[in-house]
């Protein structure tokens, strides 16, 4: 009897296996879909560049109102654009345009505003070289801020960081396209060599498209000037790859034949895949994913226009599963886009901007303006700004911004409002930089104009910008 039952079972084994496989497939598909079905409602407050070189002067006028607004969010993010070096850290040969440094307790001021997440993956992260970067990383971690985008190797810098709140979990991924020098980019570990500290870099593939006539003129210039002869010899010897017939390079600039002159940019394919992989990983680990990107690069002739590669990068992040992209870098507002019902802030400008209050700097910065460190910083700033008639502090746009607050439910944007802030354009230079709510509706009106080409409509209600969803 037992043998008969076994034979019957064996005879039906293929059918039973098929049924089991189909049923397992259904379970697996339903389980995978359940990770994407979101019932969590969460809120976010985000800010742009936070350049702090002197301490918060207590609860100044406007502080409490701004603090309450920021604290409405479960996740509260800013870009820490400074370093926290110690006395052993030297100035780097490659810096972000100035040597920015903050005291370790300056992060207490960021906490006072209510922030709980940050990235310092930006062009100033290496102002005091690798030791300055690592000291900043250690200080940020000791201060308890969730942070991403910088690490002791590329895997660590690229990994998502997570914030746990009572309403849900948020993953943060951060990159920087503006690194000043590629040596700032973190390196992967090999089997026998440790990785290089640095940023989660987003390199840019750049091509200048020229007409056939312009291309031949460039080729003739290269041949007669011998500007490319060393590279030509290296290609002939096999040290560099051959170029396609319709492409030539002049030093690090790539030219290609086309119909109309254009500057074409795309995110580096390897860096883009690394970010998409991090988004994929975070999709299983948290409720919402936020991507931070620091980018000064522009399209056309205006700093207010994000680079084409940045638009492509932001869209691909959303396509991969990110819920918001937070841009910063050029120190002024750029457009706001709602893409697939998720926000992309191409730049949030400045939140704190103390740019001309450094008390000292490495010799390299003085030499840039044909000075020595025997000169004062005041003299350096005077020369750089042409007696304070140019530079970021001379343009109101760089001292006006917004702080977005948005809510998401089931993975979709349900509310987005924008508090306009101003940083003291008419204040004495040493006082400039502290954010406070702004009454001037012109800030939102300027963002309306910038965002309109992206299909974004913003109303003004009770002094706030309200995005039409």
């Amino acid at each position: 009897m037992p043998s008969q039952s076994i034979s019957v079972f064996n005879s039906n084994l293929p059918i039973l296996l098929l049924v089991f496989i189909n049923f397992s497939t259904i379970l697996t598909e339903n389980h995978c879909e359940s990770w994407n079905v979101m019932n969590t409602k969460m809120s976010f407050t985000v800010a742009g560049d936070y350049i702090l070189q002197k301490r918060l002067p207590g609860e100044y006028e406007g502080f409490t109102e701004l603090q309450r607004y920021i604290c409405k969010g479960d996740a509260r993010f800013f870009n820490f654009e400074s370093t926290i070096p110690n006395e052993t850290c030297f100035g780097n040969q490659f810096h972000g345009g100035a040597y920015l440094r903050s005291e370790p307790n300056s992060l207490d001021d960021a906490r006072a505003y209510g922030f709980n997440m940050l990235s310092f993956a930006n062009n100033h992260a290496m102002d005091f070289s690798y030791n300055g970067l690592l000291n900043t990383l250690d200080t940020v971690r000791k201060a308890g801020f969730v942070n991403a985008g910088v690490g002791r190797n590329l895997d660590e810098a690229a990994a998502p960081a997570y914030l746990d709140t009572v309403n849900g979990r948020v993953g943060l991924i951060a990159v920087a396209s503006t690194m000043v020098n590629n040596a700032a980019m973190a390196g992967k570990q090999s089997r026998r060599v440790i990785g290089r500290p640095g940023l989660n870099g987003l390199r840019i593939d750049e091509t200048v498209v020229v007409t056939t006539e312009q291309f031949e003129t460039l080729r003739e210039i290269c041949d007669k000037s011998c500007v490319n002869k060393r590279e030509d010899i290296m290609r002939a010897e096999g040290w560099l790859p051959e170029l396609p017939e319709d492409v030539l390079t002049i030093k690090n600039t790539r030219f290609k034949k086309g119909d109309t002159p254009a500057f074409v940019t795309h995110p580096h394919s390897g860096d883009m895949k690394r970010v998409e992989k991090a988004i994929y990983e975070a999709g299983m680990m948290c409720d919402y994913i936020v991507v931070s990107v620091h980018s000064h690069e522009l399209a056309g002739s205006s700093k207010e226009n994000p680079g084409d590669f940045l638009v492509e990068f932001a869209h691909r992040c959303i396509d991969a599963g990110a819920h918001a992209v937070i841009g910063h870098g050029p120190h002024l507002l750029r457009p706001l886009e709602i893409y697939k019902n998720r926000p992309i802030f191409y730049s949030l400008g400045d939140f704190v901007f103390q740019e001309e209050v450094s008390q000292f700097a490495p010799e390299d910065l003085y030499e840039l303006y044909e000075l020595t460190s025997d000169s004062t910083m005041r003299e350096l700033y005077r020369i750089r700004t042409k007696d304070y008639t140019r530079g970021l502090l001379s343009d109101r746009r760089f001292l006006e911004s917004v702080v977005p607050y948005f809510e998401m439910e089931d993975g979709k944007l349900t509310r987005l409002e924008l508090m306009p802030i101003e940083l003291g354009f008419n204040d004495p230079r040493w006082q400039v930089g502290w954010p406070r709510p702004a009454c001037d509706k012109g800030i939102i009106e300027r963002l309306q104009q910038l965002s309109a080409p992206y299909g974004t409509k913003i109303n003004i209600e009770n002094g706030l910008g309200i995005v039409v969803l």
Side-chain angles (χ1 to χ4, degrees), residues 237-376:
E237 293 175 344
W239 300 109
L240 291 174
E242 293 292 326
L243 291 173
E245 183 61 28
D246 63 343
V247 171
L248 68 84
T249 61
I250 301 177
K251 297 307 177 182
N252 294 322
T253 304
R254 176 185 174 97
F255 295 86
K256 185 176 182 178
K257 290 182 184 179
D259 297 328
T260 306
F263 181 48
V264 179
T265 63
H266 296 285
H268 183 279
S269 60
D271 296 341
M272 187 74 243
K273 289 177 181 176
R274 186 175 63 254
V275 174
E276 290 170 331
K277 182 179 179 181
I279 294 172
Y280 172 78
E281 172 69 9
M284 186 189 70
M285 301 292 291
C286 61
D287 299 293
Y288 289 96
I289 303 166
V290 173
V291 176
S292 163
V293 54
H294 193 80
S295 176
H296 288 246
E297 293 80 13
L298 53 88
S301 58
S302 173
K303 291 181 76 170
E304 293 174 326
N305 297 329
D308 294 334
F309 80 94
L310 183 59
V311 176
E312 180 183 348
F313 170 80
H315 285 191
R316 289 184 63 174
C317 286
I318 300 293
D319 291 341
H323 297 91
V325 177
I326 307 167
H328 35 80
H331 300 294
L332 81 175
L333 287 173
R334 280 178 170 175
L336 160 63
E337 180 181 11
I338 307 301
Y339 176 71
K340 295 186 175 179
N341 206 15
R342 296 177 179 184
I344 299 172
F345 307 97
Y346 286 109
S347 173
L348 287 176
D350 293 313
F351 180 77
V352 173
F353 191 52
Q354 299 174 349
E355 202 273 324
E356 292 182 9
V357 293
S358 298
Q359 298 182 50
F360 52 88
E363 194 74 19
D364 307 61
L365 191 64
Y366 292 97
E367 290 177 354
L368 185 63
Y369 298 99
E370 299 181 352
L371 298 171
T372 71
S373 55
D374 293 331
S375 302
T376 62

Side-chain angles (χ1 to χ4, degrees), residues 58-333:
E59 295 188 6
Y60 59 90
E61 184 179 356
F63 171 84
T64 300
E65 183 182 353
L66 185 56
Q67 179 195 54
R68 288 173 180 167
Y69 183 84
I70 291 170
C71 288
K72 292 199 305 180
D74 297 309
R76 306 179 291 274
F77 170 88
F78 72 101
N79 170 58
F80 182 56
E81 190 157 17
S82 188
T83 62
I84 305 177
N86 59 32
E87 64 279 359
T88 68
C89 301
F90 51 81
N92 196 359
Q93 178 185 1
F94 303 103
H95 56 86
Y99 289 88
L100 300 181
R101 60 187 299 150
S102 302
E103 296 299 321
N105 54 9
S106 62
L107 291 174
D108 295 341
D109 298 333
R111 184 73 73 185
Y113 282 112
F115 294 111
N116 54 18
M117 304 180 77
L118 67 82
S119 172
F120 68 100
N122 54 60
N123 54 299
H124 286 282
M126 288 284 288
D127 281 356
F128 289 88
S129 198
Y130 293 104
N131 286 344
L133 178 141
L134 291 174
N135 199 71
T136 305
L137 180 60
D138 289 341
T139 306
V140 165
R141 288 176 173 173
K142 289 177 183 176
F145 282 96
V146 170
N147 68 95
V150 175
R152 285 172 167 74
N153 54 64
L154 184 56
D155 287 329
E156 185 176 285
Y162 299 101
L163 173 73
D164 290 290
T165 79
V166 294
N167 290 323
R169 197 177 203 219
V170 178
L172 173 66
I173 298 163
V175 302
S177 65
T178 306
M179 297 182 284
V180 178
N181 184 277
N182 278 351
M185 185 166 175
K188 284 184 71 67
Q189 298 196 143
S190 73
R191 292 184 181 275
R192 299 185 63 182
V193 180
I194 64 172
R196 180 179 64 252
L199 313 179
N200 187 21
L202 177 65
R203 291 165 291 184
I204 309 166
D205 291 336
E206 301 176 334
T207 303
V208 180
V209 178
V210 296
T211 64
T212 299
E213 181 181 0
Q214 293 168 332
F215 188 90
E216 296 306 325
T217 299
L218 286 171
R219 191 194 297 277
E220 182 181 0
I221 292 171
C222 289
D223 290 343
K224 290 185 177 180
S225 68
C226 297
V227 65
N228 279 342
K229 287 305 176 185
R230 180 173 181 272
E231 287 77 9
D232 291 343
I233 292 171
M234 292 180 70
R235 292 186 199 284
E237 293 175 344
W239 300 109
L240 291 174
E242 293 292 326
L243 291 173
E245 183 61 28
D246 63 343
V247 171
L248 68 84
T249 61
I250 301 177
K251 297 307 177 182
N252 294 322
T253 304
R254 176 185 174 97
F255 295 86
K256 185 176 182 178
K257 290 182 184 179
D259 297 328
T260 306
F263 181 48
V264 179
T265 63
H266 296 285
H268 183 279
S269 60
D271 296 341
M272 187 74 243
K273 289 177 181 176
R274 186 175 63 254
V275 174
E276 290 170 331
K277 182 179 179 181
I279 294 172
Y280 172 78
E281 172 69 9
M284 186 189 70
M285 301 292 291
C286 61
D287 299 293
Y288 289 96
I289 303 166
V290 173
V291 176
S292 163
V293 54
H294 193 80
S295 176
H296 288 246
E297 293 80 13
L298 53 88
S301 58
S302 173
K303 291 181 76 170
E304 293 174 326
N305 297 329
D308 294 334
F309 80 94
L310 183 59
V311 176
E312 180 183 348
F313 170 80
H315 285 191
R316 289 184 63 174
C317 286
I318 300 293
D319 291 341
H323 297 91
V325 177
I326 307 167
H328 35 80
H331 300 294
L332 81 175
L333 287 173

Side-chain angles (χ1 to χ4, degrees), residues 379-443:
E379 180 67 7
L380 186 153
Y381 289 135
R382 188 189 67 80
I383 293 173
R384 192 183 75 179
T385 62
K386 263 191 174 178
D387 285 324
Y388 307 104
T389 61
R390 67 180 182 186
L392 304 188
L393 297 187
S394 300
D395 187 333
R396 182 182 293 274
R397 295 176 303 163
F398 295 94
L399 294 169
E400 296 179 338
S401 186
V402 298
V403 177
Y405 165 81
F406 58 97
E407 298 173 355
M408 302 196 80
E409 188 170 3
D410 299 337
K412 296 180 181 179
L413 188 65
T414 57
R415 180 173 179 80
L416 171 52
E417 61 184 47
L418 310 158
M419 172 185 275
I421 61 171
E422 56 95 7
L423 280 66
F425 177 70
N426 292 317
D427 292 348
R429 255 176 155 74
W430 63 271
Q431 289 182 340
V432 168
W434 296 118
R436 49 186 177 253
C439 298
D440 184 4
K441 67 178 183 178
I443 299 173

